[in-house]
Amino acid sequence: FFSFSIQMGINKRPKVRDYWRRDDANNNQWFHTMFPRDRFLMLYHSMMHVSTVNSQNKDKIALFIAQAVSQFQKYYYPFQKVAVDEVGVQFKGRSKYIQYNPMKPNKWHLKSYALADSMNGYVWNLIPYFGKDTIYPSQESKLVSENIVKSLVLNLGEGHHIYGGRFYTSVNLVSSMYDDGKIGR
């Protein structure tokens, strides 16, 4: 499989299925004899991708991030002080959700919202930003900032001090989180 993948990098074709085409002028029998197409595609889609075979753009990114976040939360629990903020996740792939900000160290990035441990910067929860297609697990409010904070702290236990900028703070959010038992006096 790996030698086949290396050969694909040397002998580039527009699509993965093109390596098995017999009517092509650049037909190479090595690909036919080395690996059956269906077997290779099954391995390729299960080993090299987190998402389903036909997923596009947002679905590929969201599924990968969801799996990464589940691992973040499985192996670490944050200290008392946590922060909610915007982060730019460097991304070199093609996506319509890439943003450009010349003031950031990673000029081309995927915008995301993160809940991080203030002691060490460990990202414990992450919500990728997809414009109007963004999915917030907690959509109780009409205000996006409230949905962001509530979604990020959804699995967080009690006793944490949550810090955030002006964008992530409102009277409605504080009273709602107090009613939910997420914050105390």
Side-chain angles (χ1 to χ4, degrees):
F1 177 82
F2 290 111
S3 64
F4 197 92
S5 299
I6 291 169
Q7 185 63 27
M8 288 171 72
I10 295 167
N11 183 1
K12 295 184 180 182
R13 305 272 173 99
K15 296 179 182 172
V16 175
R17 291 184 178 267
D18 291 346
Y19 291 96
W20 288 273
R21 288 185 59 175
R22 294 185 188 269
D23 60 342
D24 192 289
N26 297 327
N27 181 17
N28 186 341
Q29 286 298 322
W30 183 83
F31 291 108
H32 297 281
T33 57
M34 207 46 194
F35 232 111
R37 182 189 68 208
D38 294 337
R39 174 79 175 139
F40 178 81
L41 290 175
M42 188 208 51
L43 287 171
Y44 178 76
H45 289 295
S46 63
M47 286 180 57
M48 305 303 273
H49 298 284
V50 177
S51 59
T52 57
V53 177
N54 296 324
S55 62
Q56 294 294 319
N57 224 342
K58 175 188 163 209
D59 296 330
K60 283 189 173 192
I61 297 167
L63 196 59
F64 175 77
I65 289 178
Q67 289 208 350
V69 166
S70 74
Q71 295 300 307
F72 296 166
Q73 293 177 2
K74 180 179 177 182
Y75 293 107
Y76 183 82
Y77 191 77
F79 289 101
Q80 186 178 27
K81 297 177 182 177
V82 293
V84 174
D85 203 3
E86 226 175 76
V87 295
V89 178
Q90 186 174 6
F91 185 76
K92 295 188 179 197
R94 288 183 292 187
S95 173
K96 68 179 183 179
Y97 303 109
I98 294 267
Q99 295 191 354
Y100 177 74
N101 187 345
M103 305 303 285
K104 299 274 187 181
N106 300 325
K107 295 181 184 348
W108 295 97
H109 60 270
L110 288 171
K111 179 179 169 181
S112 300
Y113 302 106
L115 178 75
D117 189 327
S118 295
M119 292 285 291
N120 53 27
Y122 186 91
V123 175
W124 193 74
N125 201 353
L126 193 69
I127 299 172
Y129 177 73
F130 298 118
K132 64 179 175 143
D133 298 331
T134 304
I135 297 171
Y136 303 104
S138 174
Q139 291 195 344
E140 301 168 9
S141 173
K142 292 181 183 175
L143 293 175
V144 173
S145 60
E146 289 181 23
N147 290 332
I148 291 168
V149 174
K150 284 186 169 193
S151 296
L152 288 171
V153 301
L154 202 59
N155 298 328
L156 195 62
E158 294 179 3
H160 291 278
H161 295 207
I162 303 167
Y163 296 89
R166 213 176 14 208
F167 177 72
Y168 304 104
T169 310
S170 72
V171 174
N172 289 340
L173 174 64
V174 173
S175 98
S176 171
M177 290 183 75
Y178 178 77
D179 292 343
D180 295 345
K182 282 290 183 185
I183 59 172
R185 291 188 178 254

